[in-house]
Amino acid sequence: MADRPHAVVAGGGIGGLAAAAALARTGARVTVLERAPHTGTGGGGLVLYANGVRALDAISPALGARIRAEGHLTGPDETRVVTDPHGRILASEAIGAQGVARGTPQIPVLRAVLQQALYDEATAAGATVRTGAAVTGRTPLPGGERAHLADGTAVDGDLLIAADGIHSALRRALLADGPPQYRGYTSVRGRATGLRIPHPARVVNGTGVQLFISPAGPGVLYWTAKITAPAGTWPAKGPAAALADLRAATADWDEAVRRLLAATAAEDTVVTDIHDRDAAPHWTDGRLALLGDAAHPMVPALGQGANMALEDAVVLARAVAAHPADPPRALAAYQAARLPRTSAVVLRSRAQGAVDQGDGAAGARRRDDLMRTQGRKDIDTADIHDWHPDRPEPTERNEELTDRTAPAAEHDTPQFPVRCTPGPVWRDSNVRTGPSLDSPVVQLLLPEEWVSYDADGWSEGDEVVEGEHPCGEITSSLWFRLASGGWTSAVNFEPSAVDAIVPGGSRQAAPLTSGSQT
């Protein structure tokens, strides 16, 4: 290896191109191998939240400036409303003011626009992008990695970055952890141009469906409908039939929704089922590392998939720049910095997605009541959006923090590892409403390694606990441990919603009794 490591990146999507641009900007030689014959131009849009925008700025200030110009730069007075299907406003979130407070705005943008900007940035920085080059496997070499292609050829490099998506061949070779998990709903996505509607930034709550609408650039609106359905049902329809069926299902909705769907062309419509994966125990193997959806696919409920991939790219490039002659050390530092945070966001997205769908009349009513009370669609995501590329960085300090133990609490709580990024905790402003006495929940078993708890009146097997996270208090809330390893606050869930969060969850659930409320 010369003084410039050669990074081979499998996948030319958002994560792969961001990694290529970031690595090339820090001096690495980069080859991107993309299976498609050309980089994508279709698809809908996405929201770059403050964390994703900061990641773009860190890759290149010019890249951040381009996306500000070509996407929709959220103004300081803009709001996003949550409505029922007939246009009645349930909540109004000051998304513009959030950007002012953070010093970084939200920027909704078409996926194709972002991907083209990343492609241009990567190639301008010296990266080579090969299309029609599907990576099917890898072979570790002495001092390097070999990526095998579907045509029988191979490409060698000093390190191999698997950014080949949710069905990653390299992840399969590394982890052999099976297919991703269907989460009970599908996504129909599209865009319309030249259309003006009231409250263009809005979320529309139906029963078993939620529609997200946003400006995505000059004269462009994009939308995403999440629809509860058996796996494969909507993708089997194809774009034209799926769009027609969605129009029929929303025929009595607010006029703005009907006009938006009517203005959408079938060729601009994409239909995919929604999947994610549980957190992997590791992402790296010597000189191989996973990135983006190959590492941590997540449901779109919090809109963080692309943002997390952009964060990955920045942290990876800085780790490689810090250890250019030692790729295994660089990739280990990258993993230490990213795995805890992204694992938490996967679980929080999964929990939010189960709430969003509003399955059944009762589920829809509870979702609407929750969003009305908290004044926004999502749980509190401030800790997600407040990420900054300069804190923390992939250094040995993070690896040391993982190994440290916290001092025992005064009531002799067991010791547990401390991570400066909190574990998968759903912070919900509506926790004081609590669950009803007959609401099924997933039972919390104590003691748990991530919680020191107020033992007064509580013992192993109790369903509810007040506790402290080692990186921040959660003492004012009621919390439930999910069997998947995440946390949820005291919110009513129907059995179907519990099933959506934890497969078979209602079979593991225990109803609350009056003796288990605080």
Side-chain angles (χ1 to χ4, degrees):
M1 180 176 64
D3 57 348
R4 296 179 62 211
H6 179 204
V8 177
V9 179
I14 288 172
L17 291 174
L23 287 163
R25 286 294 179 196
T26 56
R29 294 180 296 127
V30 182
T31 301
V32 178
L33 305 173
E34 165 56 35
R35 70 169 68 90
H38 50 77
T39 55
T41 58
L46 56 87
V47 179
L48 292 172
Y49 290 95
N51 54 313
V53 175
R54 292 191 195 100
L56 288 179
D57 290 340
I59 294 171
S60 163
L63 178 61
R66 176 172 173 175
I67 294 303
R68 284 170 171 82
E70 297 185 6
H72 174 73
L73 187 64
T74 301
D77 298 324
E78 286 192 45
T79 60
R80 177 182 296 126
V81 298
V82 180
T83 76
D84 69 9
H86 306 295
R88 290 185 288 264
I89 294 177
L90 306 175
S92 181
E93 182 180 6
I95 55 176
Q98 293 170 6
V100 172
R102 291 190 171 94
T104 309
Q106 294 182 18
I107 307 177
V109 63
L110 290 179
R111 183 174 294 271
V113 169
L114 175 59
Q115 192 160 341
Q116 185 63 52
L118 290 167
Y119 176 91
D120 292 345
E121 184 67 30
T123 54
T128 298
V129 179
R130 289 178 52 184
T131 57
V135 176
T136 58
R138 45 86 69 146
T139 298
L141 303 173
E145 282 280 341
R146 174 166 294 162
H148 297 281
L149 305 185
D151 64 4
T153 63
V155 178
D156 293 350
D158 299 309
L159 65 157
L160 176 58
I161 306 304
D164 48 344
I166 192 170
H167 300 290
S168 167
L170 293 174
R171 180 189 176 111
R172 185 165 58 249
L174 174 64
L175 298 174
D177 57 351
Q181 300 165 327
Y182 180 58
R183 286 301 166 197
Y185 52 99
T186 198
S187 171
V188 182
R189 308 183 297 280
R191 64 190 185 201
T193 58
L195 181 69
R196 297 176 63 89
I197 62 172
H199 303 296
R202 68 164 73 186
V203 176
V204 186
N205 284 347
T207 301
V209 60
Q210 186 180 71
L211 182 67
F212 181 95
I213 306 168
S214 176
V220 179
L221 293 173
Y222 90 88
W223 55 267
T224 299
K226 299 183 299 179
I227 306 164
T228 301
T233 303
W234 282 76
K237 298 173 186 286
L243 180 59
D245 286 353
L246 181 59
R247 289 169 177 163
T250 56
D252 62 345
W253 283 28
D254 181 59
E255 180 188 7
V257 172
R258 290 182 276 118
R259 289 174 56 215
L260 176 67
L261 297 180
T264 301
E267 57 266 28
D268 292 328
T269 304
V270 179
V271 188
T272 53
D273 279 348
I274 299 301
H275 300 77
D276 71 4
R277 291 183 182 271
D278 292 334
H282 61 94
W283 295 349
T284 62
D285 178 27
R287 294 167 179 263
L288 168 71
L290 308 182
L291 181 144
D293 282 350
H296 46 72
M298 58 190 66
V299 303
L302 297 180
Q304 280 296 314
N307 291 276
M308 289 293 117
L310 294 171
E311 288 184 18
D312 287 350
V314 172
V315 175
L316 170 69
R318 293 189 177 187
V320 172
H323 307 292
D326 192 352
R329 183 182 182 189
L331 299 185
Y334 156 73
Q335 174 181 279
R338 297 300 298 155
L339 198 151
R341 173 171 167 81
T342 56
S343 297
V345 176
V346 166
L347 292 172
R348 291 166 68 177
S349 298
R350 185 184 299 173
Q352 180 68 51
V355 173
D356 283 352
Q357 290 311 108
D359 292 333
R365 183 171 60 254
R366 278 191 292 273
R367 175 205 55 202
D368 293 351
D369 288 346
L370 175 62
M371 294 180 184
R372 185 183 292 111
T373 300
Q374 64 189 16
R376 59 183 181 272
K377 170 189 172 293
D378 295 331
I379 57 176
D380 185 1
T381 52
D383 61 321
I384 298 175
H385 297 168
D386 286 343
W387 176 88
H388 194 284
D390 295 322
R391 59 175 197 274
E393 276 304 303
T395 64
E396 288 78 359
R397 180 172 180 271
N398 288 328
E399 298 166 317
E400 292 166 2
L401 284 170
T402 303
D403 296 329
R404 286 171 51 190
T405 57
E410 60 182 24
H411 51 269
D412 198 28
T413 302
Q415 290 188 332
F416 47 85
V418 173
R419 295 177 181 169
C420 43
T421 300
V425 176
W426 181 8
R427 295 177 181 82
D428 176 14
S429 63
N430 198 37
V431 292
R432 291 206 178 264
T433 61
S436 64
L437 297 184
D438 60 353
S439 176
V441 299
V442 178
Q443 189 172 32
L444 170 62
L445 301 178
L446 298 177
E448 293 286 345
E449 64 174 353
W450 293 112
V451 175
S452 60
Y453 56 92
D454 180 354
D456 184 18
W458 300 104
S459 61
E460 184 168 347
D462 286 330
E463 289 135 349
V464 182
V465 64
E466 289 193 2
E468 267 181 19
H469 189 281
C471 300
E473 293 187 356
I474 56 172
T475 52
S476 63
S477 307
L478 303 178
W479 294 87
F480 303 101
R481 179 77 168 182
L482 301 180
S484 62
W487 293 84
T488 183
S489 57
V491 176
N492 280 333
F493 286 114
E494 287 291 316
S496 60
V498 176
D499 277 329
I501 300 172
V502 183
S506 59
R507 292 189 294 275
Q508 305 172 38
L512 288 174
T513 66
S514 57
S516 59
Q517 286 222 317
T518 56

